[in-house]
Amino acid sequence: MFAVLDAGLLSLTDLDLGDIEVEETGKTFEDNASHKANTFARLSNHCTVADDSGLMVDALGGAPGIFSARYGGEELDSAGRRGKLLAALEDIDEEDRGARFVCVIAIADPRIEATILLRGECPGRIAARDYDAGHGFGYDPVFIPEGYQLTFAQLRPELKDGLSHRARAATKALPVLHEICSRSL
């Protein structure tokens, strides 16, 4: 998504920082994304982009939320987490299964000691069953985006990628990154 930027993009591995894990200790997606971006900006002295994302289900008070990757415990895989989610919604009617994927992108620029946060959301609902066809990722096989009858896992990848919470956050981040890159020239 950021390949259109007029700047060289470096990964953490390129900067010999790939082995560093930043613990997600925040209470919000914004906290976690900001913490990761600021940590790596400080370590690398480069403008840094990081994100945090997850699934928020209305009937579960916003859970799994920031704990999406750890929902049900570290021992569960993606299928196990989806199973736990579906079990928690077993007695919930379809019209009450509202949910949304959330992604917050944080851009930390150490030159100005500022962090910019951009949020993307994709509203939808949770399906009655798991539609994992072997190419779903995370909660994609149970999430039906608003305006569609198929889950993210069932949609063509290019369609899903255009609708996603990550794409919506990245679309907001792109002009900010263009501005930062233009100041660097």
Side-chain angles (χ1 to χ4, degrees), residues 107-168:
I107 304 169
D109 188 345
R111 295 170 299 172
I112 58 172
E113 296 183 14
T115 304
I116 299 161
L117 299 171
L118 303 136
R119 185 179 182 106
E121 295 190 9
C122 181
R125 67 185 190 285
I126 302 300
R129 69 179 189 84
D130 191 327
Y131 289 92
D132 185 9
H135 51 73
F137 171 77
Y139 296 97
D140 287 1
V142 297
F143 182 78
I144 301 169
E146 194 172 82
Y148 292 84
Q149 298 303 313
L150 299 174
T151 66
F152 262 173
Q154 294 171 302
L155 293 175
R156 291 185 330 275
E158 59 276 6
L159 178 59
K160 182 248 179 182
D161 289 346
L163 294 170
S164 79
H165 52 307
R166 212 167 256 109
R168 293 173 188 207

Side-chain angles (χ1 to χ4, degrees), residues 96-109:
D96 297 323
R97 288 172 163 250
R100 66 191 175 282
F101 268 120
V102 175
C103 175
V104 173
I105 291 178
I107 304 169
D109 188 345

Side-chain angles (χ1 to χ4, degrees), residues 9-20 40:
L9 300 177
L10 301 171
S11 71
L12 293 176
T13 303
D14 294 333
L15 297 168
D16 292 326
L17 299 173
D19 293 334
I20 296 175
F40 288 114

